[in-house]
Amino acid sequence: MDEILLDVEKIVNHWMETSDDDFNTMLVLYRSKSYHWALFMGHISIEKLLKAYFVKQKGIHAPFTHNLYRLAELGGLEISEEYADWLFKITTFNLSARYDDFKKEFYTMCTLDFCEEWIEKIKNIQQWIKQML
């Protein structure tokens, strides 16, 4: 049985604040040309915002998953097909940056242009979710 939260606002604020910290870390990593880690932190930033949204909507702890689309779905977030596609792709940044069997391929894919494109998309999704919080 899901545990009802006593202080939803406090937990939502925690997720939002740590998401902002991770977003700023993403930008620092981008400027240092650590593009694969920048995108990993972009994933974490969006994950935390989706967990904030889930908690706000459901009043219970967010599920233990890194799948961004699944978090959006479980939170009842209405999402466009374009944003759904972006969430699926951004979710891969979590696995690709962390696990050795994916890491080398992801590292070579993470060019400056690729990173800039996805940071822009991460910013768009971040702003969209924040509007609903």
Side-chain angles (χ1 to χ4, degrees), residues 9 16 22 36 41 91 102 106 110 116 119 129 132-133:
E9 185 178 343
M16 290 176 61
D22 294 339
H36 64 299
M41 291 308 295
T91 295
F102 298 109
F106 184 59
C110 289
E116 286 177 345
I119 284 177
I129 298 168
M132 294 177 279
L133 290 170

Side-chain angles (χ1 to χ4, degrees), residues 4-22:
I4 300 209
L5 300 176
L6 298 177
D7 195 342
V8 168
E9 185 178 343
K10 181 179 177 182
I11 293 169
V12 168
N13 286 337
H14 165 76
W15 283 123
M16 290 176 61
E17 288 168 12
T18 59
S19 172
D20 286 344
D21 290 343
D22 294 339

Side-chain angles (χ1 to χ4, degrees), residues 22-120:
D22 294 339
F23 186 85
N24 289 331
T25 300
M26 174 190 71
L27 297 176
V28 169
L29 289 166
Y30 163 74
R31 287 191 293 272
S32 72
K33 300 181 182 179
S34 295
Y35 302 135
H36 64 299
W37 287 120
L39 294 176
F40 170 77
M41 291 308 295
H43 169 274
I44 297 299
S45 176
I46 297 302
E47 179 181 325
K48 289 179 177 181
L49 285 178
L50 288 171
K51 288 183 176 186
Y53 184 83
F54 179 93
V55 169
K56 183 175 181 180
Q57 295 303 309
K58 305 294 181 178
I60 58 175
H61 286 291
F64 294 110
T65 182
H66 302 295
N67 183 318
L68 301 181
Y69 180 80
R70 184 73 177 132
L71 279 170
E73 182 179 56
L74 291 171
L77 190 60
E78 290 188 33
I79 189 165
S80 71
E81 189 174 321
E82 179 180 41
Y83 277 6
D85 290 344
W86 291 4
L87 291 178
F88 280 119
K89 181 67 173 181
I90 295 166
T91 295
T92 69
F93 301 161
N94 178 49
L95 298 172
S96 299
R98 292 176 67 191
Y99 298 105
D100 287 338
D101 47 343
F102 298 109
K103 202 182 274 188
K104 185 166 178 63
E105 181 181 339
F106 184 59
Y107 182 82
T108 33
M109 185 174 37
C110 289
T111 63
L112 172 64
D113 291 339
F114 182 85
C115 190
E116 286 177 345
E117 173 189 350
W118 282 99
I119 284 177
E120 190 60 35

